[in-house]
Amino acid sequence: MDHSTARSLSELTRSATLRRLAAIVAGTVLLTIASRIVVPMVPVPITLQTLAVTLIGALYGWRLGAVTVIAWLAQGAAGLPVFQSGTGGIAPFLGPTAGYLLAFPIVAAFTGWLAQRGWTGQRTGLAFAAMLAGNLLCLAIGGAWLAVMIGAKQAFLHGVAPFIIGGVLKSAVGAGILRLVARPVSREGL
Ligand SMILES: O=C(O)CCCC[C@@H]1SC[C@@H]2NC(=O)N[C@@H]21
C-alpha cells in the first residue's frame, strides 16, 4: 500500500469514528429529552424513552444503538440527571424502574438487528412490528424486575398493562418517523 492510499484510509477511519461519536452524543441527548417528557405515575411513569430507544436502534443499527444507550446509562450512573424526570445516580438502578433501564440497550440492539434485516424505512408494517416488539420486550424485562420487588400481579397491573396502548402508539409514531427519515440501515449499521 502506498503512502497516499494509507493516508486516505486513515482519514476515512477517522471520519467514520467522528461520525459515530457524534451519533452517540446526539442519541444520549435524544434519550435525555425523551426522559424529561413524563406523565408522573407511581411506581413507573409514562415517558417517551422507549420511542427514543427503538428509534436509536433502528437508525444506528444494533451495535452502535446498544453502545449509545449504554453511554446514556453511564451518564446517569455517573450522576447526571438524564433519567426520567431528571433523576440520575445509582438509586434508579436499584429502584422499581431498574428493569426498564437495563432493558433499554437490549431493546436498542434488538430493534437495530431487525432494522438491519429490513424491518425499517418504507416497509412500514415491518418497521411498526419491530418497534412494537422492542416495546413489548422492554415491558417484559422491566415487568419481570418489578415482579421481584412487588409481586407478579402488582407488577403486571402497575408496570406492564398501563403501557401497552402507549407502546402501540409509540410504535406507530416510530414507524412513521422511520418512513420519513430512514434510508434503510445497512447490514453493518452506521
Ligand atoms: O428510571 C427511568 O428513567 C426509567 C423509566 C422507565 C419507564 C418505563 S419504559 C417502558 C414503559 N413505558 C413508559 O412510558 N414507561 C415505562
Side-chain angles (χ1 to χ4, degrees):
M1 192 189 309
D2 67 26
H3 187 65
S4 73
T5 311
R7 208 176 58 197
S8 311
L9 270 179
S10 99
E11 273 164 18
L12 269 180
T13 311
R14 206 178 55 190
S15 86
T17 304
L18 285 176
R19 205 181 54 202
R20 289 194 183 109
L21 280 175
I24 290 172
V25 172
T28 62
V29 171
L30 177 68
L31 272 165
T32 301
I33 293 168
S35 304
R36 297 288 181 118
I37 301 172
V38 182
V39 178
M41 295 202 309
V42 177
V44 183
I46 297 175
T47 74
L48 286 190
Q49 289 163 312
T50 49
L51 177 60
V53 165
T54 49
L55 277 176
I56 287 167
L59 291 169
Y60 289 10
W62 77 267
R63 198 189 309 256
L64 189 62
V67 167
T68 301
V69 177
I70 289 168
W72 172 76
L73 291 176
Q75 292 172 355
L80 294 179
V82 296
F83 297 152
Q84 59 97 2
S85 312
T87 53
I90 297 302
F93 290 97
L94 304 171
T97 61
Y100 307 101
L101 291 174
L102 298 177
F104 287 158
I106 299 168
V107 169
F110 179 58
T111 51
W113 184 83
L114 288 174
Q116 286 171 283
R117 274 146 195 83
W119 296 44
T120 187
Q122 303 305 309
R123 301 164 91 176
T124 306
L126 285 179
F128 172 76
M131 306 297 263
L132 187 59
N135 272 274
L136 294 178
L137 179 61
C138 183
L139 291 180
I141 298 173
W145 172 281
L146 198 56
V148 173
M149 296 187 80
I150 63 174
K153 188 170 173 210
Q154 291 302 314
F156 181 77
L157 286 178
H158 298 289
V160 177
F163 304 109
I164 293 175
I165 290 177
V168 173
L169 291 176
K170 284 183 250 182
S171 301
V173 171
I177 292 172
L178 289 176
R179 190 177 175 84
L180 289 176
V181 305
R183 58 174 172 74
V185 179
S186 71
R187 288 189 74 83
E188 290 76 36
L190 268 187

